[in-house]
Structures are given as structure tokens and as C-alpha cells.
Amino acid sequence: MLTATALLVTGCSSEPPRRDDSPIGWKACNELFGSKNVDVLQEQMGGGQLRIENQSYPVRDLTAGLIALARGWEPGSGAHLSAAFNPCQIAISKNGERLTSDVRWFQFSMSEIQSGDVSEEWRNVGGDVLASEDSGRGIEFIFPCKISGTHKGQEEGLPLKVLLWGVGMPNFNTDLRGNMASAMARKLSSELGCVNKPAIPREITLA
């Protein structure tokens, strides 16, 4: 039985592996999105070998970086704005299909977003999550996450923002996108140890 870390999907013995040999990258993608969702994504991406295109690192390194930034934050500080993490990028190079994820602390506070003082249109999609659609194939979502040991205003003033989008993927349907977004939000909330325990719906979608 194949482990979740390996995830080398093969057909006949003469066929090459469907996924490239990037165990750290595939493990991170499976942890963030859920292995079943990654399997469905593979089916939707069609023929060709799937590759991990970002610099692979474990989820614990991602969350450690985010926690360090949050603990160094204070009102008026912009030091966190240049730091973005790309924990999972899956692509089929020959036809340009690509799934990209981006995680960072957001530059606006929850009150600024909810009052409409930002250029993007955000709306509640359940629980504590606000979302905005990006060019039809992408979804951005934010939620408040209080990190232990941070400034008292960090939860409201520094929400977490995640972008998930597909390029050249006409079959990247809203159900899969919503399921992957929800899985990622719940995993990040757990691994970051958000003390406010944000409510995250089982599916994040704007459809």
C-alpha cells in the first residue's frame, strides 16, 4: 500500500510515474489540501506528469515563519508585508496547467475589510471566513488568527490571507476549489494554534 508521503501513482509497469519524485512537496500539498482532494485535482489536470514547482518545505516550516512574523508585529508595523509563502505549486509543464497557493499576513485589519475600506470586495462565506474571487479561477480568503504571545491587537489587526488559484485549468471546478480552500484554512488554523479557534466552514466558495 502506498503511503501518503510517496503518492506515486502508476499505471502499467512500463508507464512513468504520474507524479514527480518530490516527497517533501507532495507531503506538504497533501497535508494542506487533503490527499483525496489532491487525487481529484490530478484527475482534473489531465495527461502528463505533475511536478512540484515551488521550493519544497514542510508545513511546520511554513507555520513557524508565520508565527515569527506575527510575534514581531505591532500596530503600524509593515515588516510582515514583504513576506509571502508558496507552500504548494503543482503544475504540468507541457500544457501550462498550474495550481498555486500563497499564504501571508494581510495588510488590512478585519474592521477595515468589513467596513469596505479596501479595493477588493470581501464577503462572509461562513463562520469567521471572508472571501473574494480572483479572475474566476482563484479564491482569496482571510480569517482572524490570534497567535499566542503576540500583541493584544494582532487577531483583529493582522488576519491571515490565503490565495488559491488555477491557471489553464478549465476543470478546476468550484466544488474542488472550495473543498481545498476549506481544508487548507482548517489545517493552517490547527498548525498555527489559533487561540481564538476561528470557525471555518467545510467548503469555502463564492458560487
Side-chain angles (χ1 to χ4, degrees), residues 22-102:
S22 303
I24 295 176
W26 287 113
K27 186 174 189 295
C29 292
N30 281 315
E31 287 184 7
L32 290 169
F33 297 130
S35 59
K36 291 183 179 179
N37 288 328
V38 175
D39 288 342
V40 175
L41 176 71
Q42 174 175 308
E43 293 175 4
Q44 291 195 3
M45 290 183 80
Q49 187 181 58
L50 281 73
R51 301 180 59 83
I52 297 292
E53 291 207 332
N54 59 299
Q55 183 178 355
S56 301
Y57 47 86
V59 172
R60 65 175 179 272
D61 291 351
L62 163 67
T63 53
L66 288 166
I67 289 171
L69 287 170
R71 286 180 175 160
W73 176 86
E74 58 184 25
S77 169
H80 65 287
L81 298 180
S82 62
F85 301 85
N86 305 106
C88 181
Q89 183 167 300
I90 303 172
I92 300 180
S93 300
K94 72 174 186 177
N95 56 17
E97 290 185 323
R98 178 175 290 104
L99 172 81
T100 297
S101 59
D102 177 286

Side-chain angles (χ1 to χ4, degrees), residues 138-196:
I139 186 171
E140 296 176 290
F141 58 93
I142 57 175
F143 61 90
C145 173
K146 172 63 175 174
I147 300 296
S148 176
T150 60
H151 186 279
K152 63 181 181 180
Q154 181 264 312
E155 177 184 340
E156 197 280 337
L158 194 70
L160 191 69
K161 174 185 175 183
V162 180
L163 169 64
L164 176 64
W165 63 294
V167 174
M169 297 169 56
N171 293 323
F172 189 39
N173 63 49
T174 55
D175 288 341
L176 176 60
R177 189 179 67 184
N179 290 337
M180 294 179 77
S182 177
M184 190 174 189
R186 285 183 279 113
K187 179 65 175 178
L188 289 172
S189 174
S190 173
E191 292 298 315
L192 288 168
C194 302
V195 296
N196 57 311

